[in-house]
Amino acid sequence: MASIKDVANLAGVAVGTVSRVINNAGAVKPATRDKVKAAIEQLNYVPDEVARNFKMQKSKMIALLLPSIWHPFFSELAYYIEDELDREGYKLMLCNSGGKPEKELYYFDMLKQNKVAGVVGITYNDIENSVSTDIPMISIDRHFNKKITCVTSDNFEGGRIALRELVKAGAKKPAFLGNVPFVYSETMLRKEGFVHEAKILGVPYEVYEEPDPLRDEDKYYSTFLNRYQDIDGVFAITDMAAAKYIEKAKEAGIRVPDDVKVIGYDGIQDHPFFHPLLSTIRQPVEEMARTAVRLLLKKTEGETLDREVYQIPVTYRAGETT
Amino acid sequence: MASIKDVANLAGVAVGTVSRVINNAGAVKPATRDKVKAAIEQLNYVPDEVARNFKMQKSKMIALLLPSIWHPFFSELAYYIEDELDREGYKLMLCNSGGKPEKELYYFDMLKQNKVAGVVGITYNDIENSVSTDIPMISIDRHFNKKITCVTSDNFEGGRIALRELVKAGAKKPAFLGNVPFVYSETMLRKEGFVHEAKILGVPYEVYEEPDPLRDEDKYYSTFLNRYQDIDGVFAITDMAAAKYIEKAKEAGIRVPDDVKVIGYDGIQDHPFFHPLLSTIRQPVEEMARTAVRLLLKKTEGETLDREVYQIPVTYRAGETT
DNA sequence: ATAAAAAGTGGAAACGATTCAAACTAAGTA
DNA sequence: TACTTAGTTTGAATCGTTTCCACTTTTTAT
């Protein structure tokens, strides 16, 4: 592989000049520029990015730290994040934490060692202190502090819409279902919005927010089914939770949407084998992804952002469950 | 950030010695080692990976180049690839090509510039000449040449199993559905296996392999439905194709599995909102992913592999469509 | 006790780029 | 002509490691 020195030799100029040509920085006589370009061409020279990163003390690499790329919501998010990064000449490093705090911390160390330019994080840790000011960071759906800007959908408004749509679909007594065992999460605002709107409209409602729905799902849902037998609407905190509820409800002989209307949150169903098609509050995943990237890149350039939390509007998408 | 020089100063030794301590290479007196370790501790020193990559002329970064991480098969694959890489101390760079040949080439250039240690590629290009010997590479499902080792599921056997299972489920005249407009793909062996087994068993069959199912899907499937009205079984080349067929068939008043049994290929349905649950030939995604990584890392260490194509056995998973 | 071998350590060179002060050139001005 | 100014170019220093050769110290063998 030819280096900048080889180019300089062949063109009969100094390495500094070649550098200026490559980066379009500083003044270079047209004649010199042509000579250099010819040499570059002839040697098939491309700058060594690693050397550049080293000298510059930073790389054009952004890390995406999330629980699991396998989850459809995250994989869609990752798709758009990569796309936006690529447009800006950045690369994406993918880190699955499995939602394990210790692995998140391990990744943060690694990322620091590798001098990544920034991190988009979907984390379960109280990372407030772990990361702090070292690396520019954007968080999706988690609001830690002013250093870590948060991009999220308008969860509160989403909750309000969900309640209204359940009522519109005929539900007399809807329930909220779901929990995030995590203080910093913005997603519990979905519940707040739901409750807020129910109070405004004077609609009776229930809220089921047992902790830790991840282990012993069977019990989790059967408890819910037993406790609130008179409900006729469910707003689940995620599509995944909605789908699980529907499955368990079906087993218990409850028909959706005849007996119970169901609305989820996310809108991840873009494949032909998703059935039933959920009624859901659709997160603008693409816009969230691109916003997160753009904000992050601003941060890496030293700009300070004007807000701590950026909320992207959501829309309701009617499916087969209301 | 403290550098190796700071450590050397504090410990009262030379940088070379510190380097030897860090890398456990060469001989160092226990006493010296302790001094150095204490200094490292005190300064909170961590080696700069970028500088190391630069000096070593290679990084511990593997690129995953695929059409779209959004696709559930790829996102599952990516999950396991990342996991296996992490175990080995490597990082994953994610590149979505959108299946566009020019973008694939663009990424190859970029990867070369960034001196990645290797590439796992799922490409649509005739990359045989573009990459060649520069970067160690493993391909999933595509068999180009000896330089690019291929990891794939046992497509031929999968096709045979699919036919047998369709027959077992009662199909008298099954059809193969699907096409990959790409010469190097191993996936068309699914058809070969299907046909092979039909001939052995003396079962009448049909094969529908129109090119380019990506544009104008409606026409693609309606043509299929019209042309082969007497078939009562479908083996689709992917789960995605199977799901689309089922959707179109339903619209045409065909009941699955009553009128037509359907078997797909992939086994990507691990979420509660996938319905109907497809009968399918399950690819061992995890094993494929880990195998690909292990083979690739062997390559990066200069080993030559004993085979050009590694086929991982598949299994049949009964669902609701047979 | 001495020589030879082995173990341990120091420090400079190298990797490939960017940057910056200094030097040089060309053009304009008095 | 001499001086100023702006435009170009040079080349050494630098980033943080690893590596290798030379040198010193310790161990082993005779």
Side-chain angles (χ1 to χ4, degrees):
Chain A
M1 280 273 286
S3 78
I4 201 173
K5 217 173 230 168
D6 302 321
V7 175
N9 285 149
L10 181 59
V13 299
V15 289
T17 306
V18 178
S19 178
R20 263 172 297 127
V21 170
I22 295 168
N23 299 297
N24 272 315
V28 182
K29 260 200 204 157
T32 322
R33 161 167 282 118
D34 290 345
K35 269 195 302 180
V36 172
K37 287 205 162 157
I40 288 177
E41 188 83 8
Q42 192 180 329
L43 291 174
N44 221 314
Y45 166 79
V46 278
D48 181 330
E49 271 297 307
V50 181
R52 212 184 274 208
N53 293 341
F54 167 59
K55 170 65 190 175
M56 303 276 88
Q57 298 284 31
K58 67 169 185 228
S59 66
K60 288 214 159 211
M61 172 83 69
I62 298 289
L64 175 60
L65 176 54
L66 41 70
S68 165
I69 189 67
W70 195 350
H71 190 293
F73 178 69
F74 295 143
S75 80
E76 182 181 355
L77 194 70
Y79 174 82
Y80 287 115
I81 287 179
E82 197 275 337
D83 188 70
E84 187 70 18
L85 283 175
D86 182 53
R87 288 188 192 190
E88 303 289 338
Y90 280 77
K91 288 135 263 160
L92 177 67
M93 182 168 153
L94 179 68
C95 309
N96 289 306
S97 69
K100 299 198 197 92
E102 70 276 14
K103 196 140 189 228
E104 289 175 1
L105 296 180
Y106 151 80
Y107 270 121
F108 276 124
D109 281 349
M110 189 270 274
L111 296 174
K112 210 181 297 181
Q113 271 185 59
N114 281 276
K115 294 216 163 54
V116 297
V119 177
V120 177
I122 305 161
T123 52
Y124 285 120
N125 236 320
D126 178 357
I127 50 171
E128 201 159 5
N129 310 82
S130 331
V131 219
S132 63
T133 50
D134 272 0
I135 309 181
M137 176 160 172
I138 297 279
S139 178
I140 307 275
D141 279 350
R142 286 121 179 82
H143 181 29
F144 297 97
N145 58 22
K146 45 246 70 152
K147 303 303 294 181
I148 305 172
T149 307
C150 170
V151 172
T152 184
S153 61
D154 193 341
N155 295 284
F156 189 81
E157 185 60 25
R160 297 182 62 186
I161 296 173
L163 182 114
R164 285 204 301 272
E165 291 292 340
L166 283 173
V167 170
K168 201 189 290 180
K172 301 286 180 235
K173 189 171 184 191
F176 173 86
L177 165 67
N179 190 288
V180 178
F182 182 59
V183 259
Y184 299 92
S185 177
E186 289 281 289
T187 56
M188 283 312 272
L189 286 176
R190 297 168 193 177
K191 182 196 71 181
E192 311 295 346
F194 175 88
V195 169
H196 176 87
E197 195 70 5
K199 284 183 178 158
I200 285 184
L201 298 183
V203 175
Y205 66 92
E206 299 284 358
V207 167
Y208 181 70
E209 43 177 339
E210 292 292 307
D212 210 3
L214 287 176
R215 54 184 70 159
D216 205 353
E217 272 174 5
D218 278 340
K219 183 147 167 276
Y220 183 82
Y221 288 97
S222 61
T223 306
F224 174 72
L225 288 167
N226 286 330
R227 192 178 299 171
Y228 307 110
Q229 304 209 355
D230 58 335
I231 58 142
D232 54 1
V234 168
F235 170 41
I237 192 168
T238 62
D239 282 353
M240 208 68 109
K244 282 177 189 157
Y245 164 76
I246 291 172
E247 205 174 26
K248 304 291 179 188
K250 197 178 283 177
E251 289 172 10
I254 297 171
R255 291 163 305 161
V256 173
D258 305 309
D259 302 330
V260 177
K261 325 288 176 204
V262 177
I263 292 184
Y265 198 110
D266 273 351
I268 51 184
Q269 303 179 320
D270 264 344
H271 298 300
F273 34 61
F274 287 96
H275 286 109
L277 187 64
L278 271 176
S279 298
T280 194
I281 307 296
R282 163 88 186 155
Q283 294 207 59
V285 182
E286 176 170 4
E287 198 186 341
M288 287 170 68
R290 298 199 192 276
T291 303
V293 168
R294 279 195 299 266
L295 292 174
L296 183 56
L297 295 190
K298 274 192 186 173
K299 272 196 172 183
T300 64
E301 283 154 13
E303 280 189 56
T304 40
L305 304 179
D306 49 344
R307 277 187 273 168
E308 278 187 42
V309 180
Y310 289 76
Q311 284 174 332
I312 319 283
V314 294
T315 51
Y316 172 68
R317 189 196 61 196
E320 303 163 355
T321 58
T322 43
Chain B
M1 280 273 287
S3 78
I4 201 173
K5 217 174 232 168
D6 302 320
V7 175
N9 285 148
L10 181 61
V13 300
V15 289
T17 305
V18 178
S19 178
R20 262 170 292 134
V21 170
I22 295 169
N23 298 297
N24 272 314
V28 182
K29 259 201 203 157
T32 323
R33 162 167 281 117
D34 291 344
K35 269 195 302 180
V36 172
K37 286 206 164 157
I40 288 177
E41 189 83 9
Q42 193 180 328
L43 292 173
N44 221 313
Y45 166 80
V46 278
D48 181 329
E49 271 296 308
V50 180
R52 207 178 259 189
N53 293 341
F54 167 58
K55 171 65 190 176
M56 304 274 86
Q57 299 285 21
K58 67 169 182 228
S59 67
K60 288 215 158 207
M61 173 81 70
I62 298 289
L64 174 59
L65 177 54
L66 41 70
S68 165
I69 189 66
W70 194 351
H71 190 293
F73 178 69
F74 296 142
S75 81
E76 183 181 354
L77 194 71
Y79 175 82
Y80 288 115
I81 287 179
E82 198 275 339
D83 188 71
E84 187 70 18
L85 283 175
D86 182 54
R87 288 189 194 190
E88 303 289 338
Y90 280 77
K91 288 134 267 160
L92 177 66
M93 182 168 154
L94 180 66
C95 309
N96 289 305
S97 69
K100 298 198 198 91
E102 70 275 14
K103 195 141 189 225
E104 290 174 2
L105 297 180
Y106 150 80
Y107 270 121
F108 276 124
D109 280 349
M110 189 271 274
L111 296 174
K112 210 181 296 179
Q113 271 186 59
N114 281 276
K115 294 215 164 54
V116 297
V119 177
V120 177
I122 305 160
T123 52
Y124 285 120
N125 236 321
D126 177 357
I127 50 170
E128 199 159 6
N129 309 82
S130 332
V131 219
S132 63
T133 50
D134 272 359
I135 310 181
M137 175 160 173
I138 297 280
S139 178
I140 308 273
D141 280 349
R142 286 122 180 82
H143 181 29
F144 297 97
N145 58 22
K146 43 247 71 151
K147 302 303 295 181
I148 305 173
T149 307
C150 170
V151 172
T152 184
S153 62
D154 193 339
N155 296 284
F156 190 82
E157 185 61 24
R160 298 184 59 185
I161 295 173
L163 183 115
R164 285 204 302 272
E165 292 292 341
L166 283 173
V167 170
K168 202 189 289 178
K172 302 285 179 235
K173 189 170 185 192
F176 174 86
L177 165 66
N179 190 288
V180 179
F182 182 60
V183 260
Y184 298 92
S185 177
E186 289 281 290
T187 56
M188 282 312 273
L189 286 175
R190 297 167 192 178
K191 182 196 71 181
E192 311 295 345
F194 174 89
V195 170
H196 175 87
E197 195 69 6
K199 282 183 179 158
I200 286 183
L201 298 183
V203 174
Y205 65 92
E206 298 285 357
V207 167
Y208 181 69
E209 43 175 342
E210 292 292 307
D212 210 5
L214 287 177
R215 56 184 70 160
D216 204 352
E217 272 174 5
D218 278 340
K219 182 149 167 273
Y220 183 81
Y221 287 97
S222 62
T223 306
F224 175 72
L225 287 166
N226 287 330
R227 191 178 300 170
Y228 308 110
Q229 306 210 354
D230 59 335
I231 59 141
D232 55 1
V234 167
F235 171 41
I237 193 168
T238 62
D239 282 353
M240 208 67 108
K244 282 177 190 159
Y245 165 77
I246 291 172
E247 204 175 27
K248 303 292 179 187
K250 197 177 284 176
E251 289 171 11
I254 299 171
R255 292 163 306 159
V256 173
D258 306 308
D259 302 330
V260 176
K261 325 288 176 205
V262 177
I263 291 184
Y265 198 111
D266 273 351
I268 50 183
Q269 304 179 321
D270 264 343
H271 298 301
F273 34 61
F274 287 96
H275 286 109
L277 187 63
L278 271 176
S279 298
T280 193
I281 307 297
R282 164 87 186 154
Q283 294 207 59
V285 182
E286 177 170 3
E287 198 185 341
M288 288 170 68
R290 298 198 192 276
T291 303
V293 168
R294 280 195 298 267
L295 292 175
L296 182 55
L297 295 190
K298 274 192 187 171
K299 273 197 171 183
T300 64
E301 283 155 14
E303 278 188 58
T304 40
L305 305 178
D306 50 343
R307 275 186 275 168
E308 277 186 43
V309 180
Y310 289 78
Q311 283 173 333
I312 319 285
V314 294
T315 53
Y316 172 69
R317 190 196 61 196
E320 303 163 357
T321 58
T322 42

